[in-house]
Amino acid sequence: MSQVSKVLNFIQNTTFEDLPRNVVDYAQDCLFDTLGIAAAASKTNLSLIIKNHAARHFGAGDSERSTLLFDGRTTSPVGAALAGGMSIDSLDGHDGFALAKGHIGAALVPSLLAACEALGADKAEGSGRAFLTNLVIGYEIASRAGLSLHDTVSDYHTSGAWNSLACAAVTGRLLGLDDEKMRHALGIAEYHGPRSQMMRVIDHASMLKDGSGWGAMSGTSAAFLAADGFTGAPAITVEAENVAHFWEDLGDRWCILEQNFKAYPVCRWAQPSMEAAMSVLSASGKSHKDISGIEIQTFHEATRLASPNPKDMDEAQYSIAFPVAALLVHGQVGAIEIDGSNLKHPDVLRLSNLIKMSERDDFNEVFPTERFSAVRLTFTDGSEVLSEPHRPKGDPGVTTLTREDLTEKLYRLAGPIVGKERARAILRQSLSMDEAGSKLDSLSSVLSAKP
């Protein structure tokens, strides 16, 4: 079987019965974790702006319409994918794929939900299992497209550049595209995916984030365009000979199992420093008020997370100093600790402005496979302690966040925004999707209304 035939066959013909049990379980964890972030993010300024934009400028057609997540208004599926991806991206707590230095669920989940609703697939008997199957297919396509693109181009681009192919694949599968039109859908998505500058938004934090919304929009649109006869094949990241090794294990190696989860809704590059700093303070028996100096040793990309005095939530999420300081002061970091009046918390700002950062060659050498930091705290009594190197929580198989951990995270972040009962319903419906006869619209109804 040729390389492209293998990919197309996987997209078109994979069934729920082909999925190993641990893959199904992990897909459900990815689903409710992403939806929890969608709920928690539903009232951010970015979320409100993009949902209003989608409602005004991406109007629903006569037959194809999708509901904006946690809003209730309907738009085209393309508009719902855009709004959902950008809204989820507005709270940086969603899953990620370390090897591709980016994120899949933030784009894939809203795109797939939008397409299912627009095409009526959510009401079919067994649509819960069908949704999980599509979700896994999307993670597998996005993971390899991300690896392929990063390996073949020199620029460090946002995730939207490659998760667009996953959105095209699953929407195309729902549309019943034949092989030739699916090739065009993938090619259109690759060509129009936002190859935007990741380090620019790291250096100058704003609402642009990781391009997930634009990737979701581009990929969803690509499938509908291909269905109408628009051409765009080939997708180089899928069909070129020099990327064949990324696709040869498709269906054998399940990349979804390699996705990481976040303990805190800030850039993952900051999180090993957060763990390292907290480990030293906890072991010292001292208070954050006793800290007189903080040195962070980490990898180069993390040192670019500036903003010790963030002016808004977006800057706070793309900072390293502020979340480290917030964790030391509050003992936890959720949406509340990186927004509103807490951005001016005097104890947090005192520690944030104490922080000095430096690179370590050994940490640089293992990035992006590993993300390490070590932190030295100096105390007012003159003592100082350097931590061991720390990873972030949530690395699969190493610092794993269990389903119980992810459930607690869902309730902690989403509960204050949508209510505990609705947060429980998100979990309950996500974990019942694997049941025979399950229907996706049972979950969709939980996601549609405003908080």
Side-chain angles (χ1 to χ4, degrees):
M1 185 182 294
S2 70
Q3 180 177 329
V4 66
S5 295
K6 181 182 181 70
V7 175
L8 295 174
N9 180 65
F10 180 82
I11 294 171
Q12 303 282 33
N13 298 317
T14 298
T15 67
F16 182 80
E17 288 69 29
D18 294 325
L19 307 181
R21 183 65 237 183
N22 62 334
V23 168
V24 173
D25 290 341
Y26 214 83
Q28 290 174 301
D29 289 348
C30 290
L31 176 59
F32 80 75
D33 184 68
T34 303
L35 293 177
I37 295 300
S42 60
K43 291 185 178 180
T44 66
N45 288 337
L46 193 165
S47 178
L48 297 175
I49 290 170
I50 194 59
K51 285 184 287 193
N52 286 336
H53 176 80
R56 287 198 303 268
H57 301 293
F58 289 81
D62 293 335
S63 59
E64 295 170 352
R65 58 182 60 234
S66 304
T67 306
L68 295 176
L69 292 175
F70 301 101
D71 182 271
R73 290 174 289 181
T74 57
T75 68
S76 69
V78 173
L82 167 68
M86 292 188 75
S87 182
I88 293 168
D89 230 0
S90 74
L91 187 63
D92 202 352
H94 40 80
D95 62 35
F97 185 40
L99 295 180
K101 298 182 287 188
H103 308 275
I104 298 171
L108 177 61
V109 170
S111 172
L112 183 52
L113 285 168
C116 284
E117 182 181 3
L119 298 173
D122 56 333
K123 294 177 174 59
E125 193 76 17
S127 56
R129 284 187 169 183
F131 183 89
L132 288 178
T133 306
N134 280 318
L135 191 67
V136 172
I137 291 169
Y139 271 96
E140 299 307 311
I141 298 301
S143 295
R144 289 167 175 81
L147 293 173
S148 177
L149 189 58
H150 277 295
D151 190 65
T152 54
V153 301
S154 58
D155 58 311
Y156 181 7
H157 41 267
T158 58
S159 302
W162 43 269
N163 58 31
S164 58
L165 277 78
C167 298
V170 297
T171 304
R173 176 176 156 115
L174 288 167
L175 284 165
L177 299 187
D178 62 25
D179 283 355
E180 189 61 19
K181 287 189 175 182
M182 185 66 80
R183 285 187 66 236
H184 287 302
L186 296 174
I188 298 164
E190 178 189 79
Y191 196 86
H192 287 154
R195 197 175 293 183
S196 34
Q197 314 99 308
M198 187 70 237
M199 294 313 296
R200 179 193 138 186
V201 82
I202 294 294
D203 291 336
H204 306 284
S206 68
M207 291 184 179
L208 292 173
K209 297 298 178 70
D210 199 31
S212 297
W214 225 254
M217 177 190 72
S218 299
T220 306
S221 180
F224 283 103
L225 283 169
D228 289 338
F230 198 98
T231 61
I236 302 302
T237 52
V238 176
E239 298 194 27
E241 289 185 12
N242 63 334
V243 300
H245 57 290
F246 292 119
W247 299 96
E248 61 188 8
D249 58 1
L250 186 63
D252 297 315
R253 168 194 175 191
W254 297 95
C255 289
I256 191 172
L257 300 175
E258 300 170 36
Q259 310 302 308
N260 56 55
F261 295 109
K262 287 184 176 180
Y264 315 104
V266 299
C267 181
R268 192 168 186 80
W269 297 351
Q271 297 195 28
S273 298
M274 297 168 71
E275 300 298 342
M278 198 64 193
S279 73
V280 174
L281 183 62
S282 298
S284 72
K286 294 180 170 67
S287 162
H288 66 84
K289 295 181 182 295
D290 299 317
I291 298 173
S292 60
I294 304 174
E295 177 196 357
I296 292 175
Q297 303 171 2
T298 190
F299 52 97
H300 169 75
E301 285 79 3
T303 67
R304 302 270 288 272
L305 294 166
S307 304
N309 304 288
K311 69 178 183 297
D312 55 33
M313 189 183 202
D314 300 302
E315 285 192 359
Q317 291 178 83
Y318 277 177
S319 168
I320 190 169
F322 191 86
V324 166
L327 184 62
L328 291 171
V329 171
H330 299 298
Q332 65 176 16
V333 173
I336 294 172
E337 286 75 27
I338 55 172
D339 197 15
S341 62
N342 275 322
L343 293 174
K344 301 299 182 184
H345 195 293
D347 290 341
V348 174
L349 292 178
R350 181 185 79 84
L351 294 185
S352 182
N353 284 279
L354 285 177
I355 290 175
K356 308 296 182 185
M357 284 189 284
S358 62
E359 295 180 34
R360 274 182 47 170
D361 290 341
D362 55 338
F363 295 168
N364 283 334
E365 288 172 3
V366 297
F367 178 82
T369 304
E370 303 279 6
R371 290 149 167 80
F372 279 115
S373 289
V375 172
R376 187 192 312 274
L377 296 187
T378 302
F379 297 100
T380 52
D381 63 6
S383 63
E384 60 179 45
V385 180
L386 176 64
S387 76
E388 294 293 322
H390 275 66
R391 293 180 172 90
K393 289 180 180 177
D395 282 347
V398 183
T399 55
T400 303
L401 290 176
T402 65
R403 179 168 286 180
E404 289 72 25
D405 295 327
L406 295 175
T407 298
E408 184 278 329
K409 173 187 169 185
L410 168 70
Y411 294 158
R412 173 167 48 88
L413 295 182
I417 305 300
V418 299
K420 290 184 178 179
E421 186 49 45
R422 198 167 177 190
R424 291 190 189 98
I426 291 171
L427 178 66
R428 183 171 61 251
Q429 295 297 336
S430 297
L431 296 184
S432 66
M433 300 276 276
D434 62 333
E435 297 174 1
S438 60
K439 290 187 178 181
L440 177 58
D441 61 357
S442 298
L443 175 63
S444 300
S445 64
V446 178
L447 307 177
S448 59
K450 287 185 178 181

